[in-house]
Amino acid sequence: MPGGVDLATDHPQVTMVYDGRPVQVDEGLAGLLPALWAAGVDTVYSCQGEPGRPGVENLAYLAFPTVGDRVRFADRLPADLPGWEWVIEHEVAGGRDSVHFPPADLSWLVVLFGRGEGGPGGCPPDRAFKAGAARPGTPPVPRRRP
């Protein structure tokens, strides 16, 4: 959301400082976004999602200003995350790459990026890397989603 435009939102907002400027972010992302920014992963749009409500429209999401930011984020994640969707050139995110994921995963993402680590130590046991598994740095089946 750094440098983003103030948009109407469905969630309570908090003001954070990014690159010396105040930015508004969803309250539920207030722990994750500073950890990402400190890890060198910039974001442009984000949503905390709707915990406990099924459906793709209730997933949390992050949009990245560059492919490099997406890759830096993805390289720290375990492979084969259930319920995660990588979207290339997401129209809602201004044509940028984005990742959509269950809001319940926000807590372990804060731990993962807050510690500056990747791999099994930063994730719950059921999310650990599988030996020889491909990392999701490049989505296996890129698709466009409105």
Side-chain angles (χ1 to χ4, degrees):
M1 184 137 179
V5 177
D6 287 338
L7 301 172
T9 67
D10 293 332
H11 304 112
Q13 301 287 291
V14 296
T15 301
M16 308 192 81
V17 176
Y18 176 81
D19 198 24
R21 298 182 318 256
V23 294
Q24 296 290 306
V25 302
D26 285 359
E27 185 176 60
L29 294 171
L32 177 60
L33 292 176
L36 292 176
W37 301 336
V41 178
D42 288 335
T43 59
V44 286
Y45 294 101
S46 58
C47 179
Q48 70 186 33
E50 294 292 337
R53 295 182 65 194
V56 69
E57 68 277 3
N58 295 313
L59 294 176
Y61 75 85
L62 301 167
F64 306 99
T66 68
V67 170
D69 290 300
R70 174 181 47 88
V71 169
R72 280 188 293 283
F73 178 80
D75 278 351
R76 306 268 287 275
L77 300 176
D80 302 322
L81 290 166
W84 283 54
E85 179 182 5
W86 296 89
V87 182
I88 303 303
E89 297 179 10
H90 187 205
E91 290 177 24
V92 173
R96 296 171 176 93
D97 295 353
S98 62
V99 63
H100 303 247
F101 54 92
D105 288 349
L106 284 166
S107 59
W108 67 261
L109 286 169
V110 170
V111 172
L112 177 72
F113 283 91
R115 288 200 316 217
E117 299 173 3
C123 302
D126 64 329
R127 305 264 195 225
F129 283 105
K130 296 176 183 171
R135 294 177 152 212
T138 303
V141 182
R143 62 184 214 113
R144 297 175 197 271
R145 185 170 101 183

